Amino acid sequence: MARLIYGGGLGGFRGFFNNWWAIDYPEAEEHFLPALRRITNMSVADDSIHLEITDDRIFDYPFLFMQQPGQGNWHPSEHEASRMREYLLRGGFLMVDDFHGLYDWKVFEAGIKRVLPDRPIIDIPDDDPLLHIFFDLNKRTQIPGRRHLRMGPGGKVVAQMQGPAQWRGIYDDHGRLIVAINFNMDMGDAWQHADDPYYPAEMTGLAYRFGVNYVIYAMTH
């Protein structure tokens, strides 16, 4: 598993700041990777690696994780777009997470169109193997970031998101999903806050299940 290093700038929550590409790090991986090992009995590294798309080591990692492409203003150069296209068409898998609203979508869409200009972005169908390869994930519940949570009536924690959840993707010529797009969701936050009593445990559980499916799909397709 590799995180994609891109761009610059800082973002964060409650005074803790990382580069946009490193939002939720290291806590997200520190929680998710042991869960992946425990749930699947796979051989899992203790940590992810962080790589730029131009690093030749990128081809050693079948699962690439990109955070916050909107606020991070992901604008791949021609060379970076060409390298990502090569990575994906050679069998790599990209999961994009934690971007919200129209501005973020337009930034990401412009960037991914430079990478894969002739491939449409579509809604992932309910019968896609991604949703059933390990866990059956038929209920597409929105996974909020911690910053989206508010205390509602009766002390119940509720989410105030910028729009409905959209599980989208891009497929290759063989019908294999090569880009999974979590729009108006924050799976990384659900991993990061697994031990936070304020964050709903059922959302972390769902995020773990989606993460497991993503990784297994990437390793087998």
Side-chain angles (χ1 to χ4, degrees):
M1 180 175 175
R3 271 187 186 247
L4 178 67
I5 298 175
Y6 69 90
L10 297 174
F13 183 71
R14 293 190 175 181
F16 297 96
F17 293 93
N18 278 343
N19 293 103
W20 287 109
W21 62 263
I23 290 294
D24 305 331
Y25 182 81
E27 292 90 349
E29 280 89 338
E30 286 178 349
H31 288 130
F32 174 65
L33 293 174
L36 177 65
R37 183 185 300 117
R38 182 174 66 251
I39 292 168
T40 65
N41 202 30
M42 294 172 66
S43 177
V44 181
D46 292 330
D47 192 8
S48 66
I49 192 171
H50 310 140
L51 296 173
E52 295 179 343
I53 196 65
T54 53
D55 191 315
D56 286 340
R57 292 175 294 169
I58 201 77
F59 298 106
D60 296 330
Y61 294 86
F63 187 98
L64 186 61
F65 182 29
M66 179 162 64
Q67 288 273 88
Q68 286 271 4
Q71 295 302 307
N73 288 305
W74 176 57
H75 298 297
S77 67
E78 182 177 347
H79 178 55
E80 290 168 338
S82 175
R83 282 294 296 248
M84 182 171 282
R85 185 182 314 117
E86 181 183 4
Y87 169 82
L88 294 171
L89 296 181
R90 282 174 58 176
F93 183 87
L94 172 68
M95 186 186 82
V96 188
D97 184 58
D98 191 9
F99 66 120
H100 314 263
L102 183 59
Y103 173 81
D104 281 9
W105 177 259
K106 288 189 172 183
V107 171
F108 168 72
E109 184 179 39
I112 203 66
K113 287 297 183 184
R114 295 202 75 184
V115 175
L116 298 168
D118 301 323
R119 297 182 186 273
I121 300 171
I122 66 171
D123 291 335
I124 297 174
D126 291 338
D127 62 352
D128 192 281
L130 174 75
L131 301 176
H132 307 284
I133 195 165
F134 192 87
F135 292 108
D136 280 317
L137 300 171
N138 295 317
K139 187 176 182 181
R140 303 193 181 188
T141 307
Q142 193 163 29
I143 301 173
R146 195 185 189 286
R147 67 190 180 280
H148 300 116
L149 300 180
R150 305 289 184 271
M151 192 66 71
K156 183 178 180 180
V157 177
V158 296
Q160 295 181 354
M161 305 294 288
Q162 291 177 248
Q166 297 186 38
W167 307 86
R168 294 175 170 173
I170 300 176
Y171 292 78
D172 68 11
D173 290 338
H174 303 283
R176 296 174 296 206
L177 186 67
I178 55 176
V179 181
I181 303 163
N182 302 340
F183 181 53
N184 285 326
M185 284 177 284
D186 194 344
M187 187 174 297
D189 247 28
W191 296 347
Q192 178 187 13
H193 296 290
D195 58 358
D196 183 345
Y198 184 68
Y199 193 89
E202 63 270 20
M203 291 293 97
T204 289
L206 181 63
Y208 279 167
R209 292 193 291 275
F210 266 101
V212 167
N213 275 27
Y214 284 149
V215 169
I216 293 177
Y217 184 92
M219 295 291 289
T220 56
H221 289 73

